[in-house]
Short mmCIF file of all heavy atoms in Angstrom, two decimals:
data_model
loop_
_atom_site.label_atom_id
_atom_site.label_comp_id
_atom_site.label_asym_id
_atom_site.label_seq_id
_atom_site.Cartn_x
_atom_site.Cartn_y
_atom_site.Cartn_z
N MET D 81 87.45 118.45 119.64
CA MET D 81 87.73 118.79 118.27
C MET D 81 88.36 117.53 117.62
O MET D 81 89.13 116.79 118.23
CB MET D 81 88.72 119.95 118.24
CG MET D 81 89.10 120.39 116.82
SD MET D 81 89.81 122.03 116.72
CE MET D 81 88.43 122.91 116.14
N PRO D 82 88.07 117.29 116.33
CA PRO D 82 88.57 116.11 115.65
C PRO D 82 90.11 116.16 115.49
O PRO D 82 90.74 117.26 115.54
CB PRO D 82 87.94 116.16 114.27
CG PRO D 82 86.96 117.28 114.29
CD PRO D 82 87.19 118.09 115.50
N GLN D 83 90.68 115.00 115.31
CA GLN D 83 92.14 114.92 115.09
C GLN D 83 92.51 115.56 113.75
O GLN D 83 91.75 115.43 112.79
CB GLN D 83 92.60 113.46 115.06
CG GLN D 83 92.40 112.73 116.40
CD GLN D 83 93.36 113.29 117.44
OE1 GLN D 83 94.50 113.66 117.19
NE2 GLN D 83 92.87 113.43 118.68
N PRO D 84 93.60 116.26 113.70
CA PRO D 84 94.02 116.92 112.45
C PRO D 84 94.35 115.83 111.39
O PRO D 84 94.86 114.75 111.71
CB PRO D 84 95.22 117.71 112.82
CG PRO D 84 95.69 117.24 114.15
CD PRO D 84 94.54 116.55 114.80
N ILE D 85 94.10 116.16 110.17
CA ILE D 85 94.39 115.27 109.09
C ILE D 85 95.84 115.47 108.59
O ILE D 85 96.27 116.63 108.43
CB ILE D 85 93.40 115.54 107.85
CG1 ILE D 85 91.99 115.22 108.31
CG2 ILE D 85 93.78 114.76 106.62
CD1 ILE D 85 90.92 115.55 107.28
N THR D 86 96.53 114.37 108.40
CA THR D 86 97.91 114.47 107.99
C THR D 86 97.93 114.71 106.46
O THR D 86 96.96 114.49 105.80
CB THR D 86 98.72 113.24 108.36
OG1 THR D 86 98.17 112.13 107.61
CG2 THR D 86 98.65 112.98 109.82
N GLU D 87 99.11 115.07 106.00
CA GLU D 87 99.28 115.27 104.56
C GLU D 87 99.08 113.97 103.80
O GLU D 87 98.45 113.97 102.75
CB GLU D 87 100.69 115.85 104.28
CG GLU D 87 100.91 116.34 102.89
CD GLU D 87 102.20 117.09 102.69
OE1 GLU D 87 102.83 117.50 103.68
OE2 GLU D 87 102.60 117.23 101.53
N ALA D 88 99.54 112.89 104.34
CA ALA D 88 99.38 111.59 103.68
C ALA D 88 97.88 111.17 103.64
O ALA D 88 97.44 110.68 102.62
CB ALA D 88 100.15 110.50 104.43
N GLU D 89 97.16 111.50 104.72
CA GLU D 89 95.71 111.16 104.68
C GLU D 89 94.98 112.01 103.68
O GLU D 89 94.06 111.56 102.98
CB GLU D 89 95.08 111.39 106.09
CG GLU D 89 95.54 110.38 107.12
CD GLU D 89 95.11 110.75 108.54
OE1 GLU D 89 95.05 111.93 108.87
OE2 GLU D 89 94.82 109.77 109.28
N LEU D 90 95.35 113.31 103.58
CA LEU D 90 94.75 114.20 102.59
C LEU D 90 95.04 113.68 101.16
O LEU D 90 94.07 113.61 100.33
CB LEU D 90 95.25 115.61 102.72
CG LEU D 90 94.76 116.61 101.71
CD1 LEU D 90 93.24 116.77 101.69
CD2 LEU D 90 95.44 117.93 101.86
N GLU D 91 96.24 113.28 100.87
CA GLU D 91 96.60 112.73 99.58
C GLU D 91 95.77 111.48 99.29
O GLU D 91 95.28 111.37 98.15
CB GLU D 91 98.08 112.40 99.56
CG GLU D 91 98.97 113.59 99.43
CD GLU D 91 100.46 113.24 99.44
OE1 GLU D 91 100.81 112.05 99.11
OE2 GLU D 91 101.28 114.12 99.73
N ALA D 92 95.61 110.64 100.25
CA ALA D 92 94.80 109.38 100.06
C ALA D 92 93.35 109.72 99.79
O ALA D 92 92.72 109.09 98.85
CB ALA D 92 94.95 108.48 101.27
N MET D 93 92.77 110.65 100.52
CA MET D 93 91.38 111.08 100.27
C MET D 93 91.21 111.67 98.88
O MET D 93 90.24 111.31 98.17
CB MET D 93 90.92 112.05 101.34
CG MET D 93 90.63 111.40 102.70
SD MET D 93 89.88 112.54 103.83
CE MET D 93 91.20 113.63 104.31
N LEU D 94 92.12 112.53 98.49
CA LEU D 94 91.96 113.11 97.18
C LEU D 94 92.16 112.04 96.07
O LEU D 94 91.46 112.12 95.07
CB LEU D 94 93.08 114.20 97.03
CG LEU D 94 92.91 115.43 97.87
CD1 LEU D 94 94.13 116.30 97.82
CD2 LEU D 94 91.67 116.21 97.44
N ALA D 95 93.05 111.12 96.26
CA ALA D 95 93.25 110.02 95.30
C ALA D 95 92.01 109.15 95.15
O ALA D 95 91.57 108.85 94.05
CB ALA D 95 94.45 109.19 95.67
N ARG D 96 91.35 108.80 96.28
CA ARG D 96 90.13 108.04 96.27
C ARG D 96 89.04 108.79 95.57
O ARG D 96 88.21 108.19 94.89
CB ARG D 96 89.65 107.68 97.69
CG ARG D 96 90.43 106.49 98.31
CD ARG D 96 89.66 105.97 99.52
NE ARG D 96 89.48 107.03 100.56
CZ ARG D 96 90.32 107.24 101.53
NH1 ARG D 96 91.43 106.47 101.70
NH2 ARG D 96 90.12 108.19 102.44
N ALA D 97 88.96 110.06 95.74
CA ALA D 97 87.94 110.87 95.16
C ALA D 97 88.23 111.24 93.71
O ALA D 97 87.39 111.76 92.98
CB ALA D 97 87.71 112.18 95.93
N GLY D 98 89.47 110.94 93.22
CA GLY D 98 89.86 111.25 91.86
C GLY D 98 90.10 112.72 91.66
O GLY D 98 89.87 113.22 90.50
N ILE D 99 90.50 113.45 92.68
CA ILE D 99 90.71 114.87 92.55
C ILE D 99 92.21 115.14 92.40
O ILE D 99 92.96 115.00 93.33
CB ILE D 99 90.21 115.63 93.78
CG1 ILE D 99 88.69 115.37 93.94
CG2 ILE D 99 90.42 117.16 93.67
CD1 ILE D 99 88.09 115.88 95.19
N PRO D 100 92.65 115.51 91.22
CA PRO D 100 94.11 115.76 91.02
C PRO D 100 94.46 117.18 91.44
O PRO D 100 94.04 118.14 90.86
CB PRO D 100 94.24 115.56 89.53
CG PRO D 100 92.96 115.97 88.94
CD PRO D 100 91.91 115.59 89.97
N LEU D 101 95.28 117.29 92.46
CA LEU D 101 95.74 118.58 92.92
C LEU D 101 97.25 118.60 92.96
O LEU D 101 97.88 117.56 93.25
CB LEU D 101 95.20 118.91 94.35
CG LEU D 101 93.74 119.17 94.49
CD1 LEU D 101 93.42 119.44 95.97
CD2 LEU D 101 93.21 120.21 93.60
N SER D 102 97.83 119.73 92.70
CA SER D 102 99.30 119.85 92.74
C SER D 102 99.69 119.88 94.23
O SER D 102 98.86 120.15 95.12
CB SER D 102 99.71 121.14 92.11
OG SER D 102 99.31 122.27 92.84
N PRO D 103 100.97 119.65 94.53
CA PRO D 103 101.42 119.73 95.89
C PRO D 103 101.21 121.10 96.51
O PRO D 103 100.86 121.17 97.72
CB PRO D 103 102.93 119.43 95.84
CG PRO D 103 103.03 118.53 94.58
CD PRO D 103 101.99 119.08 93.65
N ALA D 104 101.31 122.14 95.72
CA ALA D 104 101.07 123.50 96.22
C ALA D 104 99.57 123.66 96.63
O ALA D 104 99.27 124.28 97.64
CB ALA D 104 101.44 124.53 95.21
N GLN D 105 98.64 123.14 95.84
CA GLN D 105 97.23 123.21 96.16
C GLN D 105 96.94 122.41 97.41
O GLN D 105 96.13 122.90 98.25
CB GLN D 105 96.40 122.70 94.99
CG GLN D 105 96.37 123.59 93.77
CD GLN D 105 95.77 122.96 92.56
OE1 GLN D 105 95.99 121.84 92.29
NE2 GLN D 105 94.96 123.74 91.88
N GLN D 106 97.53 121.25 97.56
CA GLN D 106 97.31 120.46 98.74
C GLN D 106 97.82 121.15 99.95
O GLN D 106 97.20 121.12 101.03
CB GLN D 106 98.00 119.06 98.60
CG GLN D 106 97.37 118.17 97.61
CD GLN D 106 98.08 116.82 97.47
OE1 GLN D 106 98.75 116.39 98.40
NE2 GLN D 106 97.91 116.16 96.38
N ALA D 107 98.98 121.81 99.84
CA ALA D 107 99.53 122.49 100.95
C ALA D 107 98.66 123.70 101.36
O ALA D 107 98.62 124.06 102.56
CB ALA D 107 100.94 123.04 100.63
N GLY D 108 97.94 124.30 100.43
CA GLY D 108 97.05 125.35 100.72
C GLY D 108 95.77 124.90 101.45
O GLY D 108 95.11 125.62 102.19
N ILE D 109 95.31 123.68 101.17
CA ILE D 109 94.13 123.15 101.74
C ILE D 109 94.38 122.64 103.16
O ILE D 109 93.51 122.80 104.03
CB ILE D 109 93.57 122.00 100.90
CG1 ILE D 109 93.06 122.51 99.57
CG2 ILE D 109 92.52 121.18 101.58
CD1 ILE D 109 92.66 121.46 98.59
N LEU D 110 95.51 122.05 103.39
CA LEU D 110 95.78 121.39 104.68
C LEU D 110 95.54 122.30 105.88
O LEU D 110 94.96 121.85 106.89
CB LEU D 110 97.20 120.87 104.67
CG LEU D 110 97.49 119.71 105.64
CD1 LEU D 110 96.55 118.54 105.44
CD2 LEU D 110 98.95 119.25 105.43
N PRO D 111 96.01 123.56 105.92
CA PRO D 111 95.77 124.38 107.11
C PRO D 111 94.32 124.71 107.37
O PRO D 111 93.92 125.01 108.50
CB PRO D 111 96.59 125.70 106.85
CG PRO D 111 97.48 125.35 105.74
CD PRO D 111 96.87 124.26 104.96
N ALA D 112 93.46 124.66 106.35
CA ALA D 112 92.05 125.02 106.53
C ALA D 112 91.20 123.84 107.04
O ALA D 112 90.09 124.03 107.47
CB ALA D 112 91.51 125.49 105.20
N LEU D 113 91.74 122.61 106.99
CA LEU D 113 90.95 121.45 107.31
C LEU D 113 90.47 121.38 108.80
O LEU D 113 89.35 121.00 109.02
CB LEU D 113 91.69 120.19 106.96
CG LEU D 113 91.90 119.92 105.48
CD1 LEU D 113 92.68 118.69 105.19
CD2 LEU D 113 90.53 119.84 104.77
N PRO D 114 91.24 121.82 109.75
CA PRO D 114 90.70 121.79 111.15
C PRO D 114 89.49 122.69 111.32
O PRO D 114 88.53 122.31 111.96
CB PRO D 114 91.89 122.27 111.97
CG PRO D 114 93.10 121.93 111.18
CD PRO D 114 92.69 122.13 109.79
N GLY D 115 89.51 123.89 110.69
CA GLY D 115 88.41 124.76 110.82
C GLY D 115 87.18 124.21 110.08
O GLY D 115 86.03 124.31 110.55
N LEU D 116 87.38 123.53 108.96
CA LEU D 116 86.29 122.90 108.22
C LEU D 116 85.67 121.77 109.02
O LEU D 116 84.46 121.64 109.08
CB LEU D 116 86.80 122.39 106.87
CG LEU D 116 85.75 121.72 105.96
CD1 LEU D 116 84.70 122.76 105.61
CD2 LEU D 116 86.45 121.17 104.76
N ALA D 117 86.51 120.98 109.66
CA ALA D 117 86.00 119.88 110.49
C ALA D 117 85.20 120.45 111.64
O ALA D 117 84.16 119.88 112.04
CB ALA D 117 87.16 119.06 111.01
N ALA D 118 85.61 121.58 112.24
CA ALA D 118 84.88 122.13 113.39
C ALA D 118 83.53 122.64 112.85
O ALA D 118 82.49 122.54 113.55
CB ALA D 118 85.65 123.27 113.98
N MET D 119 83.46 123.23 111.66
CA MET D 119 82.18 123.70 111.14
C MET D 119 81.21 122.55 110.80
O MET D 119 80.09 122.64 110.99
CB MET D 119 82.46 124.56 109.86
CG MET D 119 82.96 125.96 110.15
SD MET D 119 83.03 126.95 108.68
CE MET D 119 84.70 126.53 108.08
N GLN D 120 81.83 121.42 110.29
CA GLN D 120 81.00 120.26 109.98
C GLN D 120 80.34 119.73 111.24
O GLN D 120 79.15 119.31 111.20
CB GLN D 120 81.85 119.14 109.36
CG GLN D 120 82.10 119.36 107.88
CD GLN D 120 82.92 118.18 107.38
OE1 GLN D 120 83.88 117.72 108.01
NE2 GLN D 120 82.53 117.69 106.24
N ALA D 121 81.00 119.82 112.38
CA ALA D 121 80.42 119.34 113.64
C ALA D 121 79.22 120.14 114.02
O ALA D 121 78.35 119.64 114.79
CB ALA D 121 81.47 119.31 114.70
N LEU D 122 79.13 121.39 113.63
CA LEU D 122 78.04 122.26 114.03
C LEU D 122 76.79 122.03 113.12
O LEU D 122 75.71 122.43 113.53
CB LEU D 122 78.46 123.74 113.93
CG LEU D 122 79.60 124.15 114.83
CD1 LEU D 122 79.98 125.61 114.53
CD2 LEU D 122 79.17 124.00 116.30
N ILE D 123 76.97 121.48 111.95
CA ILE D 123 75.85 121.33 111.04
C ILE D 123 74.93 120.21 111.49
O ILE D 123 75.36 119.07 111.73
CB ILE D 123 76.37 120.99 109.61
CG1 ILE D 123 77.19 122.20 109.09
CG2 ILE D 123 75.21 120.70 108.69
CD1 ILE D 123 77.80 121.98 107.76
N ARG D 124 73.70 120.55 111.67
CA ARG D 124 72.64 119.60 112.04
C ARG D 124 73.01 118.77 113.27
O ARG D 124 72.86 117.54 113.28
CB ARG D 124 72.33 118.73 110.85
CG ARG D 124 71.78 119.48 109.71
CD ARG D 124 70.86 118.65 108.88
NE ARG D 124 70.05 119.55 108.10
CZ ARG D 124 68.77 119.43 107.95
NH1 ARG D 124 68.12 118.47 108.52
NH2 ARG D 124 68.14 120.28 107.17
N THR D 125 73.48 119.39 114.27
CA THR D 125 73.73 118.71 115.52
C THR D 125 72.84 119.34 116.57
O THR D 125 73.04 120.53 116.90
CB THR D 125 75.23 118.89 115.90
OG1 THR D 125 75.95 118.36 114.85
CG2 THR D 125 75.56 118.11 117.16
N PRO D 126 71.95 118.69 117.21
CA PRO D 126 71.50 117.38 116.94
C PRO D 126 70.61 117.34 115.68
O PRO D 126 70.09 118.35 115.24
CB PRO D 126 70.73 116.99 118.15
CG PRO D 126 70.17 118.30 118.67
CD PRO D 126 71.25 119.36 118.33
N LEU D 127 70.38 116.15 115.15
CA LEU D 127 69.54 115.98 113.97
C LEU D 127 68.13 116.34 114.32
O LEU D 127 67.64 115.96 115.38
CB LEU D 127 69.61 114.54 113.45
CG LEU D 127 70.96 114.14 112.85
CD1 LEU D 127 70.91 112.64 112.48
CD2 LEU D 127 71.23 114.92 111.59
N PRO D 128 67.41 117.07 113.44
CA PRO D 128 66.03 117.41 113.72
C PRO D 128 65.15 116.19 113.52
O PRO D 128 65.45 115.23 112.79
CB PRO D 128 65.72 118.49 112.68
CG PRO D 128 66.68 118.25 111.56
CD PRO D 128 67.88 117.66 112.20
N LYS D 129 64.01 116.23 114.17
CA LYS D 129 63.03 115.20 114.04
C LYS D 129 62.34 115.32 112.67
O LYS D 129 62.34 116.45 112.12
CB LYS D 129 61.98 115.26 115.09
CG LYS D 129 62.52 115.09 116.54
CD LYS D 129 61.47 115.33 117.56
CE LYS D 129 62.05 115.28 118.94
NZ LYS D 129 61.08 115.71 119.94
N ALA D 130 61.80 114.25 112.17
CA ALA D 130 61.18 114.28 110.85
C ALA D 130 60.11 115.37 110.73
O ALA D 130 59.98 116.08 109.73
CB ALA D 130 60.61 112.94 110.48
N GLU D 131 59.31 115.54 111.78
CA GLU D 131 58.20 116.50 111.76
C GLU D 131 58.76 117.98 111.84
O GLU D 131 57.99 118.88 111.56
CB GLU D 131 57.25 116.25 112.87
CG GLU D 131 57.77 116.31 114.26
CD GLU D 131 58.26 114.96 114.82
OE1 GLU D 131 58.44 114.05 114.03
OE2 GLU D 131 58.48 114.91 116.02
N GLU D 132 60.03 118.18 112.15
CA GLU D 132 60.58 119.52 112.24
C GLU D 132 61.18 119.93 110.90
O GLU D 132 61.55 121.10 110.75
CB GLU D 132 61.65 119.60 113.30
CG GLU D 132 61.05 119.40 114.68
CD GLU D 132 62.14 119.23 115.77
OE1 GLU D 132 63.29 119.08 115.42
OE2 GLU D 132 61.78 119.36 116.94
N GLU D 133 61.29 119.04 109.96
CA GLU D 133 61.85 119.33 108.64
C GLU D 133 60.88 120.16 107.84
O GLU D 133 59.68 119.92 107.87
CB GLU D 133 62.14 118.04 107.84
CG GLU D 133 63.37 117.28 108.37
CD GLU D 133 64.68 117.97 108.00
OE1 GLU D 133 64.70 118.76 107.05
OE2 GLU D 133 65.64 117.71 108.67
N PRO D 134 61.34 121.17 107.14
CA PRO D 134 60.45 121.99 106.30
C PRO D 134 59.91 121.19 105.16
O PRO D 134 60.58 120.33 104.57
CB PRO D 134 61.31 123.15 105.82
CG PRO D 134 62.71 122.59 105.90
CD PRO D 134 62.71 121.63 107.02
N ALA D 135 58.65 121.43 104.82
CA ALA D 135 58.04 120.74 103.67
C ALA D 135 58.34 121.49 102.42
O ALA D 135 58.28 122.73 102.37
CB ALA D 135 56.55 120.61 103.89
N THR D 136 58.66 120.78 101.36
CA THR D 136 58.91 121.39 100.07
C THR D 136 57.78 120.90 99.15
O THR D 136 57.57 119.71 98.95
CB THR D 136 60.26 120.99 99.50
OG1 THR D 136 61.25 121.35 100.48
CG2 THR D 136 60.55 121.68 98.21
N THR D 137 57.07 121.86 98.57
CA THR D 137 56.00 121.51 97.66
C THR D 137 56.21 122.25 96.34
O THR D 137 56.84 123.27 96.28
CB THR D 137 54.61 121.87 98.19
OG1 THR D 137 54.57 123.28 98.41
CG2 THR D 137 54.36 121.11 99.51
N PHE D 138 55.70 121.70 95.26
CA PHE D 138 55.75 122.32 93.97
C PHE D 138 54.55 121.84 93.13
O PHE D 138 53.86 120.89 93.46
CB PHE D 138 57.05 121.91 93.23
CG PHE D 138 57.16 120.49 92.88
CD1 PHE D 138 56.73 120.04 91.63
CD2 PHE D 138 57.63 119.56 93.76
CE1 PHE D 138 56.79 118.69 91.30
CE2 PHE D 138 57.70 118.23 93.46
CZ PHE D 138 57.29 117.78 92.19
N SER D 139 54.31 122.61 92.07
CA SER D 139 53.20 122.28 91.21
C SER D 139 53.72 122.24 89.78
O SER D 139 54.49 123.09 89.40
CB SER D 139 52.07 123.30 91.33
OG SER D 139 51.07 123.03 90.39
N ALA D 140 53.25 121.27 89.04
CA ALA D 140 53.65 121.16 87.61
C ALA D 140 52.74 122.02 86.77
O ALA D 140 52.99 122.24 85.57
CB ALA D 140 53.55 119.70 87.19
N GLU D 141 51.68 122.63 87.28
CA GLU D 141 50.82 123.46 86.54
C GLU D 141 51.38 124.89 86.49
O GLU D 141 51.95 125.43 87.45
CB GLU D 141 49.47 123.52 87.22
CG GLU D 141 48.72 122.15 87.26
CD GLU D 141 47.44 122.25 88.01
OE1 GLU D 141 46.82 123.34 88.04
OE2 GLU D 141 47.05 121.23 88.60
N ALA D 142 51.24 125.54 85.31
CA ALA D 142 51.74 126.90 85.11
C ALA D 142 50.95 127.82 86.02
O ALA D 142 49.74 127.75 86.16
CB ALA D 142 51.57 127.33 83.68
N GLY D 143 51.67 128.73 86.60
CA GLY D 143 51.09 129.78 87.42
C GLY D 143 50.74 129.38 88.89
O GLY D 143 50.17 130.10 89.60
N ARG D 144 51.10 128.21 89.24
CA ARG D 144 50.76 127.73 90.64
C ARG D 144 52.01 127.59 91.39
O ARG D 144 53.02 127.21 91.11
CB ARG D 144 50.06 126.40 90.56
CG ARG D 144 48.63 126.62 89.99
CD ARG D 144 47.85 125.39 90.24
NE ARG D 144 46.88 125.83 91.18
CZ ARG D 144 46.07 125.00 91.86
NH1 ARG D 144 46.24 123.72 91.70
NH2 ARG D 144 45.18 125.43 92.67
#
């Protein structure tokens, strides 16, 4: 499992992203970060091969 993010690291990330949050909002986010990091690790692990990706097609013609 990834290392937990400290309050100072969260403040730095929010500042870099330009996201202004109050201290109360930051305090509400901090406990959820370990769970979020664990979910991120599950997404697309392992990465699919190019031929396994679904094809997306569209038509510019009406009714197609």
Side-chain angles (χ1 to χ4, degrees):
M81 181 163 258
Q83 293 293 322
I85 295 173
T86 66
E87 192 171 343
E89 290 171 327
L90 176 61
E91 287 178 20
M93 285 189 286
L94 292 170
R96 278 193 304 266
I99 302 172
L101 294 181
S102 69
Q105 289 171 317
Q106 290 180 22
I109 291 174
L110 203 55
L113 291 178
L116 181 61
M119 285 187 272
Q120 279 182 317
L122 297 174
I123 296 174
R124 297 209 164 226
T125 303
L127 290 174
K129 298 175 187 170
E131 60 269 13
E132 294 171 348
E133 287 286 337
T136 303
T137 62
F138 66 93
S139 175
E141 297 176 28
R144 291 192 110 192

